Amino acid sequence: MSRIPVYFMPGLAASSSIFERIALPVDGFEMILLEWELPLNNESLSEYAQRISKKVTHKNPVLIGVSFGGILVQEMAKFLEVRKTIIISSVKSNLEFPTTFKVAKTTKAYKLLPTSLVLNIENLAKFSFGDKIKQRLDLYKKFLSVRDKKYLDWAIEKIILWDRTEIEKNVIHIHGDADEVFPIKNIEKCIVVKGGTHIMILSKFKWFNANLPKIILGQEVESV
């Protein structure tokens, strides 16, 4: 039996090292880690997704994305025949955005963010992962590897202006009930991880290692 290819996309400005604690059974799954690339000039999110989708070389893959990576893999799925699309700590449409994101879109306040994000790792950490940053800075410095101003300007704008309003029914959504960036009160139909924050791919890795294979295979997961 051939192994199921599973592609992982990290969150905003993060490297694939955020998945270092994720281990799927090697006899049944092949893990492939994707990385962010710098956007081309005036490249749309759809165009970017199409470009990154060319790095998916297996047939019938599973796509897994965290946070902004979750948004990206949903866009990538338009260009691929996928087995499953799984998003973690993310959103299925802009209707699940918090009010702050909607205000930022209306006021174009997001245009004021990028420079300070590039210069200040604490601000970048807060935007990417949420609050409680003092005790987590070493973690952020390790996992937030993309600090290019062009990428950050582009990524923040593409998040805020994401125009998807209809949820794809086949998207599997895993979300923590303590997510600070995308509060669960705005999220529809998801697998809830108790105590899961926006960085639960790191903090709840044991849950993911136990349940991701079941989710991929369409089996019931542990009650949480």
Side-chain angles (χ1 to χ4, degrees):
M1 180 180 173
S2 60
R3 297 189 295 168
I4 297 173
V6 186
Y7 285 78
F8 289 82
M9 191 74 210
L12 174 75
S15 73
S16 64
S17 60
I18 68 167
F19 302 113
E20 65 182 14
R21 298 174 182 175
I22 302 301
L24 303 181
V26 295
D27 57 340
F29 304 91
E30 179 180 357
M31 293 180 60
I32 305 99
L33 306 180
L34 298 171
E35 302 283 0
W36 290 104
E37 295 190 359
L38 295 184
L40 304 178
N41 291 335
N42 300 313
E43 190 170 26
S44 69
L45 181 59
S46 181
E47 290 168 340
Y48 186 90
Q50 185 173 21
R51 182 156 62 91
I52 300 299
S53 70
K54 293 177 181 177
K55 297 185 177 296
V56 177
T57 57
H58 298 77
K59 292 183 178 179
N60 205 25
V62 174
L63 303 181
I64 296 180
V66 174
S67 193
F68 182 35
I71 290 175
L72 182 66
V73 297
Q74 290 175 80
E75 295 297 315
M76 289 171 61
K78 296 177 181 178
F79 305 102
L80 299 164
E81 292 290 334
V82 300
R83 180 186 299 261
K84 277 187 171 69
T85 302
I86 300 171
I87 66 172
I88 299 167
S89 307
S90 189
V91 291
K92 300 182 291 297
S93 80
N94 61 20
L95 301 179
E96 295 183 328
F97 279 162
T99 302
T100 51
F101 280 49
K102 296 173 183 177
V103 171
K105 178 180 180 179
T106 302
T107 62
K108 300 189 184 301
Y110 62 89
K111 291 182 177 291
L112 305 177
L113 286 172
T115 301
S116 63
L117 289 174
V118 173
L119 298 177
N120 188 327
I121 186 65
E122 290 193 7
N123 285 342
L124 177 55
K126 184 173 181 179
F127 191 86
S128 299
F129 288 134
D131 293 320
K132 300 181 181 177
I133 57 179
K134 288 184 179 179
Q135 65 269 46
R136 296 182 182 173
L137 279 181
D138 288 340
L139 201 65
Y140 298 150
K141 289 174 182 176
K142 176 179 179 180
F143 294 114
L144 291 177
S145 63
V146 188
R147 300 180 197 170
D148 181 90
K149 184 180 188 299
K150 179 179 179 180
Y151 164 81
L152 289 169
D153 283 353
W154 175 87
I156 292 167
E157 180 177 73
K158 298 313 173 193
I159 294 171
I160 298 297
L161 299 184
W162 193 39
D163 60 1
R164 179 170 295 196
T165 56
E166 292 189 12
I167 293 173
E168 291 289 337
K169 294 180 181 179
N170 61 344
V171 172
I172 298 170
H173 192 169
I174 307 172
H175 211 81
D177 65 1
D179 193 301
E180 323 91 291
V181 176
F182 298 123
I184 198 166
K185 66 181 181 180
N186 301 319
I187 304 299
E188 296 182 24
K189 295 181 181 179
C190 65
I191 299 170
V192 179
V193 179
K194 282 189 178 180
T197 65
H198 199 61
I199 58 168
M200 66 179 182
I201 194 66
L202 297 171
S203 59
K204 298 288 187 179
F205 68 94
K206 291 181 180 179
W207 185 92
F208 284 102
N209 288 343
N211 289 284
L212 273 180
K214 298 176 185 177
I215 292 169
I216 292 170
L217 295 173
Q219 301 170 354
E220 289 192 18
V221 302
E222 293 177 6
S223 58
V224 292

